[in-house]
Each structure stands twice: as structure tokens, then as C-alpha cells.
Amino acid sequence: MDTGSPHEAGPDGPQGTIEAAGGEPVWIALPPGLLRMRRLLLVVWLGLIALAAGLLPGLLAGPAWAAFALPPLALMAWGWVMIERNWRSWRYAERDDDLLISRGVLWREETVVPYGRMQLVEVTSGPVERHFGLASVQLHTAAAATDATIPGLDPAEAERLRDRLTELGEARSAGL
Amino acid sequence: MTAHGATETSEAAAEVSERRLHPVTPLRRAWAPVAVLIGWAVHDPDGAQRHLTRLTTTTLLIGLAVLVPAAALYGFCSWWFTHFAVTGTELRIRTGLVFRRTAHIRLERIQAIDITQPLLARVAGVAKLKLDVIGTDKKDELAFLGADEARTLRAELLARAAGFAPETAHEVGEAPSRQLLRVPPGVLALSLVLTGATWVSVAAALVVPPVLWLFTHSLWTVLAVALPLLGAAGASSVGRFVAEYDWTVGESPDGLRIDHGLLDRAHETVPPGRVQTVRIVEPLLWRRRGWVRVELDVAGSSNSVLVPVAPREIAEDVVARVLPGVSVPGPAALSPAPRSARWCVPLWWRGYGLAVTDTVFAARSGLLRRSLALVPHAKVQSVRMTQGPWERARGVADVCVDTGANKTVRARLREAGEARELLAAQAERSRTGRRDARPDRWMA
């Protein structure tokens, strides 16, 4: 069985690698950067909304109306937990011939993409992601429905994955 | 031209001879400005009438004298500047008067070739040649060619795509075809009568406008609703009959030949090994007669009917030709959804079934209108397992198989453990299935 990457299981990843017995794939979890970024975005946006929802009625109609700030705050607390659950659920594994991606808490999805089917591999990184030092890897096959994206990777890991997938894809390439 | 690329030999470069489309083409192109005018007049009738009454006969004549030659010149130029050439590996289309554009279509990527003859083109003896290649635009069609020229060009393209040497590709000619099936007009008409969708659209077109008139008494509202409804009713009954009239499926070394149409004739050729998915559809009222409809998905093609109506055994025989080595699993071979799934999709859960053979992944869905989708293992692009919260509570999951024609075949409501095994096994199968898939150039 093919191993993941040797430099996985960072000190800050409690579930860095989940290794099950008996020829199971080596699952690799996402680094914590994505969690930090999503939580920060959540706090910033919902914080602004809460401030607006609290201040405006509070000043215009009386202090009791400032309670409008509570729903966004509750949403923020809920989102804080949910984002972690969702982040924890993301994991991927490189096997000899295919890439596995597993994700989702309530709606679970597990995708298998054979390397031979890859048309191209993309590494993308938006401005916010770049600020947090993150990049995502996206695999395209001839089927548009194939949604094989791994978000929130370390750029170095993303590039390693891209190079490895491209190499394997060329070695095993097959037509349509 | 890119023909003088460094790698290409002078012999090959000399062989590339550019051709033009049929001289009738400018006439078709010349219609464009006139059509724009008519479209504008229809769009804004009041304004058009106002402008027309203001025009005198002289200005009208002068206008026509300018417009018609201009349109003719445009048509002539667009014809003059459109060239095409067939090389050993590509079909090149060079076009554009102001904005130059060259399309290089790789022959071994051809998914299907259509020749269509609209009614007027049939009168003029010309035809349109359309290539379905993944990643090309709809623009990349050759309209119009002489009918015979189109046929020989198709034969030549297919021969080259099949891997014949360029020198012999001319001589190979049109491969002989053996007729597999022909749908009699009576059967086609009866099958449309027995289709629920036809009756629903006709009933809607007959019932909705009078009811609307009763309630609103507004002519415009009724017209705005009635016209699309009538159009839909016509398309689903008469339109389908006209399009699917004299449906013939033939087999040739070049692939599957599909010919159909009453007014507009279409000849489609699907080279071997290009079919991604086949669906066998069985509407409720056809079941007593044992009729089925067969649809197919080819990457890059919009045409999707293989057999509009045929007895089951004949249809299965045709399917076996399209997907070599595949036998359609019978109803007994399909394993049904587990009983625990009955609260996920009440009643309809009985419609779901799955069979995985050595060659295909077959999933059935639908209770009244049964549809069985077959995907050869070699065509699977990726496999997914999805499970919602409600499904997890019942211990079931869905397995989806994505194919290159942008179609996803879902095997719904499988027992969770089975689905997990299926996911692993399907990935393995589609990998080994691809190893012994046919090459892109099937004759080479």
C-alpha cells in the first residue's frame, strides 16, 4: 500500500493521520489553517452583523431592542462548533491507483477518482487563502459531476500533491 | 496555416489541400440580415408599422437595393473566407473575415459525426456535417456541403479516425452497413399515443387556455400561456413523430449508423467505444406490449435517442452492439433496495434496483416509468458514495457513478455496508476494465 506523505502528522494535528489496520488507506486530515481561517471569517462577519443589529435598534428605539444582536451571536457560537465538525470530517488518501476524498458530517460523501481519469489538476489560492497560507487542489475529470477538491492545504503540500497526481495520471492515463 | 510545423514532412504538408463549402452556402448566409429585420418587426409590430407607413416606395426600393447586395456580399465573403482541410490527424476549419479563427479538431477524439439535411437543404441537395468532439464549440460544423461530398467526407474522416493510412483513407470509402432495426411508422405512432407525457401536454394545451379566459378575459394573457403550451403539445406529439419517423439503426465497421426524420433527415454515426451510458426506458403503458425506448449518452453530443421504440429483445440486441460484450441484466438479476429503505422514499423505493456484472454497472429507478441505466466499467470517471442524515438513520447509502458524458448514474438506497464494498469494488473494476478497453483508433 502506498503511504501518504512522510511529513504529515504535524504536532498541532491531533488527528493528523488516522491509520487503520489491514491494508486500509492512510487517511490524511486537513491542516488546521482552514479551520482558523473559516472561524475568523465567521467571527468577523457575524460580529459586524451583530454589532449593526444591536447598535441601531438599541440607539434608536431603546436599550431593550439591542437584543437583536443575540441571534447573530448564537449563530456565531453554533457556526464555531459546526465549522470544526466539518473541518474534522475532511480527509483524503492517496492510494496506488486512486485518490480518495471523504467529507461531510450530516451529508457524507466519499469520492474515488482513479489517477488514469484525471484530465488536469489545479492548485488555486484566493487572496484570503493566500493571507492564511492556504491553497486548494482540484482534480478535473471528463465528468463535470466529479467534485474532487481538497481545500485548505499547505501550499507546499498542495504543490507536492499536484506534481504527484500529474505524474501518476500520466503513468496511468486512459482515454474517455 | 500551421502545416509547415517543423516536425511535419514536406510530403504531408503537400497533401493538405484546402477546400471550400458548397456554393449554395452564401445564399443561406445572405438571409441573416433579412431575418434580423423580420425578427425586429415581429418583436415590435407597432414600431415597425409606424416606420413602414413613413417610408415611400422609392426609399423602400433604394433600401432594398442597398440591403440585398450588402447581404449577398456578406454571405459571399463569409463563404470565401471559410476553408477546411483534412490532415492525417486533424480536421482544420479556417474561418472569419475580420476575426480570424482556426479550429483544429483531432480525429481520434471524434465521438460522433452527424449529417443533417433540413428540408430546404434537401431541396437544394446539400447537407450539414457536424462533428461531436469533446471540447469543441457548436460553431465547428461544416454547413453546407454537397450531399455526396458530405457523405464521402464523413467516410474519409471516419477512416482516418479509425487509423487507416492517409493514402488509403480515400479508397476505403463508405463502410458497408447492416441494418439492425427499423421502426415502422405505425408502431411509432402507437407508442406516442401510449406515452403519458404526450397526453399531459395535449390536455394542458386544451384545458388551460379556456380556463384562463374564464377567469381573466384578457386575450394577451391567454395567448401568452396558450402558445407555449400548444408548442409543447405539438413538439411532444407531432414533432416527435416527424423527428423519429423511419428510424433506422445500422451497424458498420465505422460504428453505429442512426438515420431518422420525415422532413429533416439526420444521419448519425457513433464510432465504436464512444458510448458512455445507455438507458433503457419502459413507460407504464408500453409494458404490456414489451416495448422499450433506448437512450444513449455520448460525450460532446446532444443527440440522445438510440431506439425510439422497439420490442425488448431487439432493443437488447442493439444495446449489445453498442456496448460489445454487454448483456442487459434482466429484472430477476437486479437486487432490490433493502426493506429498511422504505421510509426514505416511501412506495418508490421498490423501483430501485442494482446489478453489477463483469462489464456494466446497471441501476434501475422509477416505479411507473422504469429506467435502467447501464455504464460500462471502462467508462467510469469517478465513483462517489453519499449518505444523508435520514439515510444514515435507516442504514442505507447511495452510490453514484460519473461518466464522461456529464451524466451521473445513481444506485439509490443500498445497504450501507454493501455500498461501502461497492465503492471499493467499483473503483477496482473500472480500473481493470479500462486496461482492456479498445484504442481510440479502433482499426489501427
Side-chain angles (χ1 to χ4, degrees):
Chain A
M1 185 85 323
D2 202 56
T3 60
S5 59
H7 57 81
E8 228 19 69
D12 45 7
Q15 65 282 31
T17 42
I18 303 165
E19 221 163 316
E24 269 283 294
V26 183
W27 288 103
I28 305 172
L30 296 186
L34 185 71
L35 178 66
R36 278 204 295 271
M37 181 186 91
R38 287 190 173 161
R39 277 186 166 166
L40 190 77
L41 286 177
L42 176 88
V43 168
V44 167
W45 283 111
L46 282 178
L48 283 177
I49 292 173
L51 205 66
L55 270 185
L56 281 178
L59 289 178
L60 294 176
W65 294 94
F68 272 119
L70 287 178
L73 287 176
L75 201 64
M76 196 197 292
W78 182 73
W80 186 271
V81 180
M82 284 301 133
I83 284 177
E84 181 171 354
R85 278 180 70 188
N86 180 274
W87 169 76
R88 242 176 235 286
S89 74
W90 275 86
R91 50 188 195 155
Y92 64 96
E94 297 162 59
R95 292 199 301 186
D96 280 348
D97 294 293
D98 37 34
L99 181 79
L100 307 184
I101 300 171
S102 169
R103 63 173 181 274
V105 181
L106 280 181
W107 275 271
R108 283 192 195 154
E109 194 169 323
E110 198 172 325
T111 310
V112 184
V113 188
Y115 296 135
R117 291 314 211 183
M118 278 183 325
Q119 300 285 324
L120 74 127
V121 190
E122 237 179 8
V123 175
T124 54
S125 179
V128 181
E129 283 175 307
R130 250 198 323 272
H131 183 257
F132 282 86
L134 297 174
S136 37
V137 173
Q138 190 171 9
L139 265 77
H140 294 272
T141 69
T146 304
D147 177 26
T149 311
I150 310 174
L153 289 173
D154 181 47
E157 162 72 357
E159 300 208 340
R160 183 199 68 79
L161 199 62
R162 180 195 62 197
D163 293 344
R164 189 178 139 73
L165 293 179
T166 314
E167 186 189 316
L168 287 168
E170 272 165 15
R172 289 167 175 72
S173 104
L176 281 169
Chain B
M1 281 299 302
T2 51
H4 33 252
T7 51
E8 235 161 330
T9 62
S10 57
E11 178 200 20
E15 202 235 335
V16 175
S17 60
E18 293 208 317
R19 286 188 264 172
R20 285 213 178 85
L21 300 171
H22 195 272
V24 145
T25 313
L27 283 180
R28 177 191 77 131
R29 301 264 165 108
W31 279 106
V34 180
V36 168
L37 264 189
I38 291 176
W40 167 73
V42 168
H43 171 75
D44 183 15
D46 296 341
Q49 205 163 21
R50 236 181 303 120
H51 283 285
L52 267 184
T53 45
R54 219 185 298 146
L55 290 176
T56 60
T57 323
T58 8
T59 43
L60 203 67
L61 277 179
I62 291 171
L64 276 180
V66 173
L67 198 68
V68 169
L73 188 71
Y74 165 74
F76 176 77
C77 284
S78 73
W79 171 73
W80 185 255
F81 285 99
T82 302
H83 304 262
F84 68 92
V86 187
T87 72
T89 51
E90 304 175 314
L91 169 70
R92 291 188 194 141
I93 304 175
R94 203 152 58 86
T95 182
L97 179 58
V98 183
F99 298 99
R100 284 294 171 92
R101 173 169 178 278
T102 313
H104 291 237
I105 299 171
R106 282 175 61 193
L107 294 183
E108 76 258 30
R109 286 293 186 204
I110 289 178
Q111 303 291 315
I113 298 186
D114 297 357
I115 296 181
T116 51
Q117 274 189 298
L119 191 59
L120 276 176
R122 264 171 98 180
V123 173
V126 293
K128 194 192 286 187
L129 189 90
K130 193 169 144 259
L131 281 95
D132 286 323
V133 183
I134 299 167
T136 54
D137 298 341
K138 204 188 160 293
K139 278 185 272 189
D140 298 324
E141 54 179 26
L142 295 172
F144 286 91
L145 295 167
D148 293 331
E149 198 189 353
R151 210 162 296 130
T152 47
L153 184 61
R154 170 177 72 174
E156 189 186 335
L157 289 175
L158 283 169
R160 292 210 183 182
F164 282 109
E167 306 85 57
T168 54
H170 281 292
E171 294 143 31
V172 174
E174 193 163 54
S177 130
R178 195 172 66 81
Q179 187 174 313
L180 291 176
L181 157 135
R182 177 172 222 142
V183 180
V187 171
L188 182 63
L190 186 60
S191 77
L192 288 174
V193 168
L194 289 178
T195 305
T198 318
W199 289 107
V200 170
S201 60
V202 170
L206 290 181
V207 171
V208 173
V211 170
L212 261 184
W213 176 251
L214 269 182
F215 280 102
T216 62
H217 284 280
S218 147
L219 184 66
W220 288 111
T221 324
V222 172
L223 271 185
V225 172
L227 285 179
L229 280 176
L230 278 174
S236 70
S237 53
V238 180
R240 251 180 76 179
F241 181 80
V242 168
E244 293 174 357
Y245 180 84
D246 191 25
W247 193 283
T248 320
V249 180
E251 190 194 31
S252 78
D254 281 345
L256 209 69
R257 295 269 166 80
I258 305 170
D259 295 54
H260 59 97
L262 179 64
L263 302 175
D264 301 355
R265 287 296 286 180
H267 312 267
E268 196 185 358
T269 307
V270 182
R274 301 301 202 261
V275 175
Q276 307 270 336
T277 324
V278 169
R279 272 186 313 279
I280 299 176
V281 183
E282 210 179 357
L284 181 68
L285 294 174
W286 292 14
R287 229 171 282 169
R288 262 194 57 190
R289 294 170 182 274
W291 287 351
V292 293
R293 176 184 172 85
V294 184
E295 298 173 348
L296 85 176
D297 294 315
V298 173
S301 168
S302 52
N303 204 346
S304 68
V305 183
L306 174 61
V307 176
V309 57
R312 203 184 172 92
E313 309 82 64
I314 296 177
E316 283 180 3
D317 189 46
V318 174
V319 170
R321 308 279 171 162
V322 190
L323 304 175
V326 170
S327 58
V328 180
L334 294 164
S335 66
R339 272 196 76 76
S340 56
R342 66 187 182 281
W343 295 115
C344 287
V345 185
L347 216 57
W348 253 254
W349 69 277
R350 287 175 182 281
Y352 295 112
L354 173 75
V356 181
T357 69
D358 294 343
T359 44
V360 283
F361 179 91
R364 190 183 68 181
S365 64
L367 200 56
L368 300 177
R369 185 179 185 271
R370 278 194 210 138
S371 158
L372 178 72
L374 308 172
V375 186
H377 294 318
K379 296 295 177 194
V380 172
Q381 299 283 328
S382 62
V383 194
R384 285 178 293 148
M385 185 181 88
T386 60
Q387 193 180 39
W390 187 248
E391 284 178 319
R392 186 155 59 251
R394 305 282 152 208
V396 292
D398 299 349
V399 177
C400 307
V401 161
D402 302 316
T403 71
N406 283 342
K407 285 281 171 354
T408 300
V409 173
R410 295 173 84 93
R412 290 214 57 193
L413 307 176
R414 309 311 303 171
E415 204 262 310
E418 187 202 335
R420 191 157 286 282
E421 275 167 35
L422 202 62
L423 182 73
Q426 192 58 41
E428 177 66 31
R429 262 193 299 266
S430 53
R431 200 172 62 238
T432 48
R434 274 195 305 280
R435 284 209 185 111
D436 39 49
R438 334 173 54 132
D440 277 339
R441 305 194 144 208
W442 59 96
M443 289 288 185

